[in-house]
Every structure is written in structure tokens, then in C-alpha cells.
Amino acid sequence: KNQVEQSPQSLIILEGKNCTLQCNYTVSPFSNLRWYKQDTGRGPVSLTIMTFSENTKSNGRYTATLDADTKQSSLHITASQLSDSASYICVVRGKGGGNKLTFGTGTQLKVEL
Amino acid sequence: DAGVTQSPTHLIKTRGQQVTLRCSPKSGHDTVSWYQQALGQGPQFIFQYYEEEERQRGNFPDRFSGHQFPNYSSELNVNALLLGDSALYLCASSLEPNTEAFFGQGTRLTVV
């Protein structure tokens, strides 16, 4: 069964600190992996997308990495801000069989003063 | 470009009632997917509409049905509401079924 697991489930950090969120997946064959940011009660917004051949992608203070061999991805947030408080969801698109999206359950990040 | 818009934003219904949620896709997009997101969980795929037909379906009962109109907008209907149907319902549109999905802000449904 295709699965996407994220860790930690929740995280609290101080403003200005860095943090790293993890995503492990079993989806195979693999098409791409996307990290979304979802504010409470809102729809997810895409941060980065990576295909099989890419191992790092940056979007401002967000840097995603991908190791397609071990089926692991991480999202690193630098110099966190209060507005980074949100749920971060890892989403993997499979290849073939309808190319379905498999969502992780998300990491709930809270940035405090 | 207004992006993906959903209506209403919030809704309260009683058990056993029926509900219709609406979604207008991003300009130029022809594919609409619906997701249910329970509190603290990731979105769960309900179904996808393309060319006015249901193309894919997740593991949801027949109480969940949908429709896509010629202008690509879509409706999600849920019959015989259960308390467990309380969730954030997300609509995502894309240009063709397997391309990047853009999400709306969601409709928060509460069943009492």
C-alpha cells in the first residue's frame, strides 16, 4: 500500500530558529514529491516540487531535499517567522495507475516568540 | 485570476440532511478533484472530474456524489449526513488530470 509518513507530528520552535521536517514514502513508481504549507482552515499551498532526478530545491527560506533511493525527503526552514506556523504536508504523486496523489498527515509547526 | 474558489466557506447541517458544496476551478483548468480533511489529518481523495465525468474515485461511499458542468465548475453532494462527515472539504483544480493541483480555501462542514 502506498504510504507517506511524516515526522515529527508536531513541533514548537522559537522565532529565528531553524527546523527540519521529515517525510518517508513507499509510493512506487514515483513521479514527483511536493511540500505544501496549510494554514489552519485554509487550503494547502505548494512550496516546492521535486522529481526523481532532483535532490534539492529552494523557495526562499524553505529548502527541500529528496533521496529517491531511500525514499526520504526533508523540508528545512531557515530563520523561522511567526507566519511559518502552519501544517506542512508532504504529497507524493505516483506514476501510472491514475497517477494518484498520496498525502502525508502533516507536521504541525508552531513558531513562538 | 481568482484561483480556485469554493462556497460556502462554512456550513452547519443536521444528521440525515443533504449538502451541496461548490467549486470554481482556476482559470484555464479543466480538472477538479475533491478531498475530505478531518481535523489533524491529511486530505483524503474523494473523486476527480474531467470532461464532465468522474474519472477516479477514492474509498468513499455512494452517499458522496459529484458533478462537473460544461464551464468546468463542480459540485460535491453528500446525502444522509453523518457526524463523521464533519471535515474541511477541499477542491483542487488542475490543467488536465495529472498536472499540478491548486487548492481552494475549503468548505468547513459541521454535522450536528
Side-chain angles (χ1 to χ4, degrees):
Chain A
K1 179 182 178 183
N2 288 332
Q3 289 185 315
V4 176
E5 296 183 351
Q6 293 186 241
S7 62
Q9 186 174 11
S10 61
L11 183 62
I12 301 174
I13 62 173
L14 295 176
E15 187 181 28
K17 299 296 185 183
N18 304 335
C19 67
T20 300
L21 315 180
Q22 300 291 342
C23 173
N24 296 338
Y25 62 93
T26 61
V27 176
S28 183
F30 163 89
S31 178
N32 62 55
L33 183 148
R34 197 182 290 272
W35 283 92
Y36 283 88
K37 177 186 178 186
Q38 184 176 22
D39 293 314
T40 301
R42 310 289 293 178
V45 175
S46 179
L47 294 174
T48 64
I49 179 173
M50 286 183 293
T51 59
F52 186 89
S53 60
E54 297 174 301
N55 55 26
T56 187
K57 184 75 70 78
S58 291
N59 177 4
R61 294 180 297 102
Y62 301 103
T63 300
T65 65
L66 173 66
D67 185 334
D69 291 331
T70 61
K71 294 185 169 57
Q72 295 180 326
S73 176
S74 66
L75 180 69
H76 186 74
I77 304 175
T78 304
S80 61
Q81 301 175 357
L82 296 179
S83 59
D84 292 333
S85 297
S87 178
Y88 291 83
I89 303 175
C90 174
V91 183
V92 180
R93 183 183 289 281
K95 188 180 293 185
N99 301 78
K100 290 183 180 178
L101 297 178
T102 303
F103 287 76
T105 55
T107 291
Q108 188 66 44
L109 173 66
K110 185 174 182 181
V111 181
E112 295 182 336
L113 288 171
Chain B
D1 181 6
V4 181
T5 58
Q6 293 185 241
S7 62
T9 55
H10 295 83
L11 198 55
I12 299 175
K13 288 286 190 177
T14 304
R15 272 182 302 174
Q17 284 188 314
Q18 178 264 344
V19 68
T20 297
L21 311 182
R22 296 177 174 81
C23 173
S24 293
K26 184 177 170 65
S27 178
H29 287 187
D30 59 9
T31 303
V32 173
S33 302
W34 287 92
Y35 296 84
Q36 180 194 67
Q37 186 176 25
L39 200 61
Q41 300 295 313
Q44 298 294 314
F45 175 73
I46 303 175
F47 42 53
Q48 182 183 76
Y49 277 84
Y50 173 62
E51 294 185 336
E52 301 180 51
E53 290 187 8
E54 183 182 297
R55 299 290 178 165
Q56 295 183 44
R57 189 178 182 93
N59 189 26
F60 279 80
D62 292 343
R63 297 187 298 110
F64 290 77
S65 63
H67 188 77
Q68 185 177 36
F69 298 94
N71 66 353
Y72 307 122
S73 66
S74 176
E75 289 182 346
L76 165 65
N77 300 293
V78 186
N79 294 323
L81 284 167
L82 305 174
L83 295 178
D85 295 332
S86 296
L88 181 69
Y89 287 84
L90 295 167
C91 168
S93 75
S94 59
L95 178 61
E96 297 181 352
N98 299 321
T99 57
E100 179 183 0
F102 291 79
F103 287 84
Q105 82 284 3
T107 293
R108 170 67 64 185
L109 172 65
T110 302
V111 182
V112 297

